[in-house]
Amino acid sequence: MSKFNIYKIPKVNQEDLIQKFNSVGLHQISSRYIRNFQLDFFLSSDPELIDIWWTEYYSDFFDENEIPQIKYILVV
């Protein structure tokens, strides 16, 4: 079975966390609302290319024919 690291971030910490992400080269590429939760996907702007095993599970978050091959992906 797949393992995922998913964390709920208190709303009061969200802006500081997003600023930190941007300062280290992570940029928001997509947002989705699922069952009263907002998921924001952030990708590295200078990634190390690798094959990511779980991209097929989240393929609708990415543009067609553009499956990411990066080392760092974060979800808020």
Side-chain angles (χ1 to χ4, degrees), residues 28-44:
Q28 185 174 343
I29 62 154
S30 182
S31 286
R32 296 287 192 278
Y33 285 94
I34 301 173
R35 297 186 191 148
N36 298 325
F37 289 96
Q38 178 178 338
L39 300 177
D40 297 325
F41 272 62
F42 289 78
L43 297 180
S44 175

Side-chain angles (χ1 to χ4, degrees), residues 2-52:
S2 302
K3 293 183 179 180
F4 298 95
N5 295 322
I6 299 176
Y7 303 93
K8 182 178 179 181
I9 306 299
K11 196 71 167 167
V12 298
N13 297 339
Q14 183 177 1
E15 189 60 36
D16 289 339
L17 186 59
I18 290 172
Q19 287 179 1
K20 176 63 175 177
F21 288 169
N22 291 329
S23 75
V24 297
L26 296 168
H27 302 284
Q28 185 174 343
I29 62 154
S30 182
S31 286
R32 296 287 192 278
Y33 285 94
I34 301 173
R35 297 186 191 148
N36 298 325
F37 289 96
Q38 178 178 338
L39 300 177
D40 297 325
F41 272 62
F42 289 78
L43 297 180
S44 175
S45 59
D46 189 23
E48 176 183 335
L49 296 180
I50 62 170
D51 289 327
I52 302 171

Side-chain angles (χ1 to χ4, degrees), residues 33-73:
Y33 285 94
I34 301 173
R35 297 186 191 148
N36 298 325
F37 289 96
Q38 178 178 338
L39 300 177
D40 297 325
F41 272 62
F42 289 78
L43 297 180
S44 175
S45 59
D46 189 23
E48 176 183 335
L49 296 180
I50 62 170
D51 289 327
I52 302 171
W53 62 269
W54 53 260
T55 54
E56 65 186 76
Y57 295 107
Y58 294 102
S59 60
D60 57 333
F61 282 90
F62 306 108
D63 293 332
E64 289 183 23
N65 303 320
E66 200 170 310
I67 301 299
Q69 291 183 302
I70 61 174
K71 187 173 182 179
Y72 302 107
I73 295 183

